[in-house]
Amino acid sequence: TVAELKAEVSRRLTNEKTAEAEKKLITDLRKELIGKSTLLRTPYSLYRDYYEDRMYLYEKLAEAAAMSLEDYLEKCTDMTYEELEKAVGDAASADVKETLVLYSVVKKENISATKTEISEFADKMASESEGIFENGEEYLSYYGANAVKDEYLWSKVMEIVLSSAKAAE
């Protein structure tokens, strides 16, 4: 009936708004946790790995466009090589901080991630992708096992943060 359809649409919209608000809250909490954290030192090898990974992506983009990196930067990003190095360096520093914050909390809270848990998480993310990924294996292949593991661990950290906040109320 029309009334049932209206109720179903209303329920679906309410669920979507609730899920959207929860995602925003989790994103904001994660940024806050990272932003308020202070690094005493940054392991250069970790920084270098993130830096080289990001530079490699730009090199591959230039290669795919059949251009030199400098030409690609000029024509497609309006950046100089020096500006790219600065941007990549800043991003690598942020990546290092995020990783160190994550694994500090994981260690302190004794959070683990088994292959089965990561696989189930990938399946869940694939099912929520609205058809972009057919299954968890495809999701894992696209993002990489380490990135999926980190997202899984972040989800566990955020569960702890949210449950702690609710308990404090």
Side-chain angles (χ1 to χ4, degrees):
T1 67
V2 173
E4 290 171 332
L5 179 60
K6 281 183 180 179
E8 174 62 23
V9 169
S10 176
R11 182 192 61 75
R12 189 176 305 152
L13 289 174
T14 300
N15 289 344
E16 286 175 10
K17 284 182 181 181
T18 301
E20 209 172 282
E22 188 173 308
K23 282 182 182 180
K24 184 178 179 344
L25 173 64
I26 288 170
T27 299
D28 291 349
L29 285 172
R30 182 171 162 172
K31 285 179 185 175
E32 186 81 10
L33 179 62
I34 294 165
K36 298 258 181 195
S37 298
T38 304
L39 295 183
L40 300 177
R41 65 181 187 81
T42 300
Y44 179 73
S45 62
L46 185 58
Y47 169 84
R48 186 188 65 237
D49 289 346
Y50 280 114
Y51 182 91
E52 288 174 358
D53 285 349
R54 285 182 178 268
M55 288 300 282
Y56 177 77
L57 291 174
Y58 278 95
E59 290 165 3
K60 289 311 239 179
L61 288 169
E63 184 180 304
M67 297 181 193
S68 70
L69 180 57
E70 288 76 12
D71 287 343
Y72 176 80
L73 292 173
E74 181 184 327
K75 293 177 180 161
C76 300
T77 69
D78 203 28
M79 273 194 290
T80 65
Y81 188 80
E82 291 76 24
E83 291 169 329
L84 173 67
E85 286 181 315
K86 167 101 173 74
V88 167
D90 291 347
S93 293
D95 291 343
V96 168
K97 184 175 184 181
E98 183 173 334
T99 297
L100 293 175
V101 169
L102 172 62
Y103 282 92
S104 293
V105 175
V106 164
K107 183 177 179 181
K108 183 172 176 28
E109 296 295 331
N110 199 27
I111 301 170
S112 64
T114 66
K115 285 186 179 186
T116 301
E117 289 169 329
I118 294 167
S119 178
E120 289 170 356
F121 179 77
D123 288 339
K124 177 182 174 239
M125 299 309 290
S127 71
E128 292 176 3
S129 74
E130 298 180 2
I132 295 171
F133 300 101
E134 290 185 27
N135 54 49
E137 284 180 28
E138 198 175 285
Y139 185 88
L140 274 164
S141 174
Y142 183 82
Y143 286 107
N146 288 333
V148 175
K149 177 183 177 186
D150 286 355
E151 282 308 308
Y152 171 77
L153 291 171
W154 271 115
S155 73
K156 292 300 178 191
V157 167
M158 290 296 103
E159 283 176 17
I160 291 170
V161 169
L162 289 172
S163 67
S164 295
K166 288 177 184 173
E169 288 180 347

